[in-house]
Amino acid sequence: MAFGSILVANRGEIALRVIKTAKGLGLRTVAVYTDADAKAGHVKAADDAVNIGVGPVGDSYLSVEKILTVAKQTGAEAIHPGYGFLSENHEFAHTVIDAGLTFIGPEPGAIQTMGNKAESKRLMIEAGVPCVPGYQGTDQSDDVLMAEASCIGYPLIIKAVAGGGGRGMRLVFDETEDLQNIIAQARSEALNAFGNSELIIEKAIISPRHVEVQLFADTHGNVVHLGERDCSVQRRHQKIVEEAPCPVMTPKLRQAMGQAAVDAAKAVNYRGAGTVEFLLDASGEFYFIEMNTRLQVEHPVTELITGLDLVELQITVAQGDPLPFSQEDVVLSGHAMEVRLYAEDPANGYLPTTGTVNLWREAVGKGIRVDGGISQGQEVSSFYDPMLAKIIAYGPTRDVARRRLISAVEKTVLLGTRTNTTFLANLLAKEGFEKGEATTAFLDEAYPDGYSEEDVTAEEFALVSSLFFERQKASALTKAGFVADDQMHWTSAPLTPASLKIIVNDSTVECLIMAVRGGWCVAVMDQNLIVDVLEISDSSVKAKVGDRTLEATYVLEGDSLQLASRARRLFFKRLRAGAQEEGGASSGLVKAPMPGLVIETLVKVGDTVSAGARLATLEAMKMQHQILAEVDGKIEAVKVSEGDQIIDGQIMIEIAPNEYLVA
């Protein structure tokens, strides 16, 4: 079963991660990519790379035929599926094996059984693994699901039996919610994401910890676990922060959870890397959620506390070799913590974002690891999951790891699209997280009114104003009344300030700026600040602003300026004279909050709607997003149709607000 080449049927950071280990083992690597990923890091890193489509996953990364064709063309002998895409598709695993190739993952039967939440739960109950009370029956009619929900009691959670990542999952708090509509939404999202609309219903365990156990099994009957990871900090049921070990773990509880995970693996004759996920309540009771039959996104934290390379172990087991250690050999040392860098806007409901990676700088430092699959110039597309990279820190203690991680987040710079960088640094510094008290309710408790960015300071506006003028002196100073670059800091005539209107977070702030000896004077927010630019390049600046010294990385493109300073990531736009500011939601223009695919439209011209009414459903980055009315009024135009691929900011629907209608 030994092989000399691997095709990585994935993209981004996991493809790059697999390629790195495979190359270290002397294996030839083959990457697949789309037009949208032509500049991606995994394409450059592989020994061979083949284009398999334009962008949409259904015609590229999810195309079994295309993946197998590339394997045949390039002579690949094994296929590593990474995670997501085809990694838990048992039919794909079957097809790979039938083609005479090695599938680096579990047997297809185990994938099929554990990939179905209903079937796996029934099996776990038989195996004696603790499970959450619920309904996992085959009758999927609305009447049965609603009746079972009443029997289970509220709060409850609806889940798609296939897939993961929070897709097809809904939390229902009480009977006042529209359960039938919620079921329909979960079905639709599950069908679109996984091709399977079947659901299960479970009692919602309120404010538990999400704790998972990493296990490995070989073909010689050896099954071991490598400790646990705490993945409690989540948004939309998708993990944001993962750490190992769990802050409240005890030796007795670890032994019990580890044994339950091993029992789960043995129940399906498991092989390779797998993760068994549990909910851990405040009393110390734990319940099986699901088993992920693949490598997990968060596997680096386990690697750092065990000293093992999990991808290398996957390859070892796939080649038929036994695990090179026993359970007694597994030693957990120190603490590791990981955050996921997402292309999203946390202050806007964590909506995914897109754009070009104009600047990408990974953090470096003691105990720091960055697993990224992006490169400068690459497009962040709406076709794929919004996770761009993982920032990981290791330390002898949890607090050292946490502090190192905050520093690493601040030093990791990605400009070109909005990311969750500022949010991550803020979250890691929260008292509840610092003390290791975070549960799955942490985000709601830490940000009861939702996350919001701190206001931009006068010093930041002054720095940005100066940057606009420093980098665009010729045009900006001419319009301000200056005639030559060598005259801008000296003149015998009184200087006239130039007015600069800057838009940030949908607000416009006016700055008055004028050249003075040694720098700039900026009047903004009732302050007069002297800006002395100490150092400046095409992408970085150091300046003394008033009494403060600010250092920042930036990208300036025309009238748009993006700034990274410590954990702050700010987007500014200069409003040119004569330009009009666009109306907000109250204007009745309903714009796409992100690029995506229109799944359905729910209104037509002439309909009367109230604020909060559902207007359409948009699918982007594997999630469905409800488009809601923000004003009361009448539908004047519906400018999109089901099946349309639309861009960020595109007008979808026009509403004539009631306040403008003539009775």
Side-chain angles (χ1 to χ4, degrees):
M1 293 179 65
F3 46 80
S5 57
I6 293 177
L7 183 152
V8 185
N10 217 295
R11 64 179 296 277
E13 61 87 18
I14 183 56
L16 203 57
R17 166 73 186 88
V18 174
I19 289 169
K20 180 180 178 181
T21 287
K23 280 191 162 186
L25 294 173
L27 302 173
R28 186 172 69 88
T29 57
V30 179
V32 291
Y33 68 96
T34 64
D35 290 355
D37 276 343
K39 296 182 180 180
H42 73 283
V43 179
K44 302 172 185 176
D47 297 308
D48 197 357
V50 179
N51 189 306
I52 55 172
V54 177
V57 293
D59 298 325
S60 55
Y61 295 109
L62 288 178
S63 174
V64 175
E65 181 182 355
K66 288 184 177 181
I67 298 295
L68 268 293
T69 297
V70 172
K72 182 178 180 181
Q73 290 174 345
T74 59
E77 299 168 284
I79 293 182
H80 194 302
Y83 43 68
F85 294 140
L86 295 168
S87 63
E88 293 181 287
N89 184 317
H90 65 93
E91 293 178 349
F92 174 61
H94 264 302
T95 304
V96 171
I97 295 169
D98 290 344
L101 305 176
T102 299
F103 180 73
I104 303 177
E107 295 289 345
I111 297 175
Q112 183 176 14
T113 298
M114 301 309 287
N116 184 299
K117 291 183 176 65
E119 186 177 351
S120 64
K121 188 173 178 181
R122 291 190 289 265
L123 182 62
M124 292 302 99
I125 291 172
E126 292 178 10
V129 177
C131 293
V132 179
Y135 173 73
Q136 50 277 339
T138 57
D139 190 333
Q140 290 287 297
S141 66
D142 281 6
D143 289 343
V144 167
L145 292 178
M146 293 175 72
E148 290 293 338
S150 296
C151 292
I152 294 167
Y154 296 88
L156 57 83
I157 194 162
I158 298 170
K159 295 181 181 178
V161 300
R167 293 174 288 278
M169 186 179 293
R170 296 290 188 277
L171 181 62
V172 187
F173 289 96
D174 56 51
E175 63 277 1
T176 64
E177 299 193 49
D178 186 353
L179 183 60
Q180 191 165 15
N181 182 47
I182 292 171
I183 289 171
Q185 290 179 32
R187 271 204 190 105
S188 173
E189 192 168 272
L191 185 62
N192 279 283
F194 315 118
N196 186 340
S197 62
E198 188 178 348
L199 305 172
I200 65 172
I201 303 177
E202 291 181 340
K203 180 73 176 176
I205 309 298
I206 301 301
S207 301
R209 286 179 182 267
H210 184 125
V211 181
E212 60 189 30
V213 177
Q214 175 70 61
L215 60 85
F216 253 94
D218 61 25
T219 56
H220 301 269
N222 302 308
V223 185
V224 300
H225 71 83
L226 306 180
E228 78 290 339
R229 299 183 287 255
D230 190 312
C231 308
S232 300
V233 182
Q234 305 175 7
R235 57 100 174 94
R236 293 200 305 260
H237 305 291
Q238 291 184 309
K239 301 162 187 173
I240 304 172
V241 184
E242 301 105 348
E243 60 180 304
C246 170
V248 297
M249 189 56 58
T250 64
K252 181 178 179 181
L253 181 57
R254 178 175 292 127
Q255 194 281 327
M257 293 185 79
Q259 187 59 54
V262 168
D263 291 343
K266 288 181 176 179
V268 289
N269 298 315
Y270 200 75
R271 180 196 70 188
T275 300
V276 181
E277 302 194 349
F278 299 98
L279 293 180
L280 175 65
D281 68 20
S283 69
E285 296 294 322
F286 62 90
Y287 306 92
F288 170 84
I289 310 173
E290 63 182 351
M291 182 177 185
N292 290 305
T293 53
R294 53 172 168 79
L295 197 66
Q296 291 280 89
V297 175
E298 54 272 21
H299 75 273
V301 295
T302 296
E303 292 185 324
L304 289 173
I305 68 167
T306 61
L308 299 170
D309 183 327
L310 300 196
V311 175
E312 183 175 343
L313 287 176
Q314 283 186 296
I315 293 171
T316 296
V317 169
Q319 290 184 323
D321 296 329
L323 287 169
F325 56 85
S326 66
Q327 187 65 64
E328 291 71 28
D329 297 323
V330 178
V331 177
L332 309 183
S333 176
H335 202 98
M337 198 173 288
E338 169 185 295
V339 290
R340 302 186 185 191
L341 182 66
Y342 282 114
E344 67 179 16
D345 186 358
N348 191 23
Y350 305 99
L351 288 180
T353 60
T354 59
T356 303
V357 179
N358 294 320
L359 187 64
W360 168 240
R361 292 180 181 173
E362 295 183 3
V364 294
K366 186 175 182 180
I368 302 303
R369 167 177 164 179
V370 177
D371 283 12
I374 53 177
S375 57
Q376 207 154 295
Q378 180 183 347
E379 288 293 320
V380 177
S381 167
S382 62
F383 296 129
Y384 312 121
D385 188 274
M387 191 183 78
L388 303 175
K390 303 176 304 196
I391 309 169
I392 312 116
Y394 173 83
T397 66
R398 182 178 186 273
D399 196 54
V400 170
R402 185 186 66 87
R403 291 179 183 277
R404 285 178 175 173
L405 186 55
I406 292 174
S407 176
V409 168
E410 293 177 348
K411 292 176 182 176
T412 300
V413 177
L414 190 152
L415 294 176
T417 184
R418 292 184 184 274
T419 67
N420 62 340
T421 308
T422 306
F423 166 70
L424 291 174
N426 184 282
L427 184 158
L428 293 169
K430 286 285 184 181
E431 182 180 5
F433 184 82
E434 179 184 357
K435 293 181 177 179
E437 298 171 348
T439 69
T440 56
F442 176 72
L443 284 193
D444 290 336
E445 294 168 353
Y447 307 101
D449 299 319
Y451 173 76
S452 60
E453 301 279 3
E454 294 181 11
D455 292 337
V456 179
T457 66
E459 288 84 359
E460 288 167 335
F461 275 119
L463 177 62
V464 168
S465 300
S466 302
L467 268 173
F468 272 120
F469 273 47
E470 284 280 347
R471 301 307 303 169
Q472 299 178 345
K473 287 176 183 175
S475 60
L477 291 175
T478 298
K479 290 183 178 181
F482 300 103
V483 293
D485 196 54
D486 60 359
Q487 294 177 338
M488 67 181 183
H489 290 306
W490 182 89
T491 177
S492 59
L495 295 177
T496 302
S499 174
L500 193 66
K501 290 186 176 180
I502 299 176
I503 302 172
V504 61
N505 298 331
D506 297 325
S507 297
T508 302
V509 173
E510 184 174 17
C511 304
L512 297 177
I513 181 170
M514 61 186 293
V516 295
R517 191 173 302 278
W520 305 93
C521 179
V522 182
V524 59
M525 299 171 65
D526 298 324
Q527 295 188 50
N528 291 311
L529 296 167
I530 300 298
V531 181
D532 182 7
V533 179
L534 305 174
E535 299 173 14
I536 189 167
S537 71
D538 288 341
S539 61
S540 63
V541 62
K542 180 178 181 181
K544 185 176 181 182
V545 184
D547 295 329
R548 295 178 60 191
T549 298
L550 301 181
E551 293 185 64
T553 304
Y554 71 92
V555 169
L556 177 61
E557 291 186 321
D559 292 325
S560 297
L561 189 147
Q562 304 160 39
L563 192 74
S565 177
R566 292 183 63 84
R568 297 274 269 173
R569 303 293 182 269
L570 300 169
F571 286 66
F572 301 91
K573 186 174 182 180
R574 178 172 59 178
L575 185 65
R576 293 280 185 176
Q580 298 295 316
E581 297 177 49
E582 295 183 1
S586 60
S587 69
L589 294 181
V590 180
K591 299 179 182 180
M594 73 207 84
L597 179 70
V598 179
I599 298 297
E600 60 179 346
T601 55
L602 302 169
V603 292
K604 61 183 183 300
V605 174
D607 286 352
T608 299
V609 296
S610 301
R614 292 175 62 226
L615 305 176
T617 303
L618 186 66
E619 183 175 82
M621 294 181 172
K622 299 184 180 181
M623 298 290 289
Q624 289 189 5
H625 305 270
Q626 301 303 313
I627 306 301
L628 307 178
E630 297 194 28
V631 295
D632 299 340
K634 181 179 289 187
I635 303 296
E636 280 198 330
V638 179
K639 295 182 173 291
V640 295
S641 303
E642 294 177 13
D644 286 355
Q645 187 74 43
I646 61 178
I647 63 174
D648 184 17
Q650 181 174 334
I651 296 175
M652 299 178 65
I653 295 167
E654 294 182 8
I655 303 173
N658 282 348
E659 59 185 296
Y660 301 138
L661 295 178
V662 179

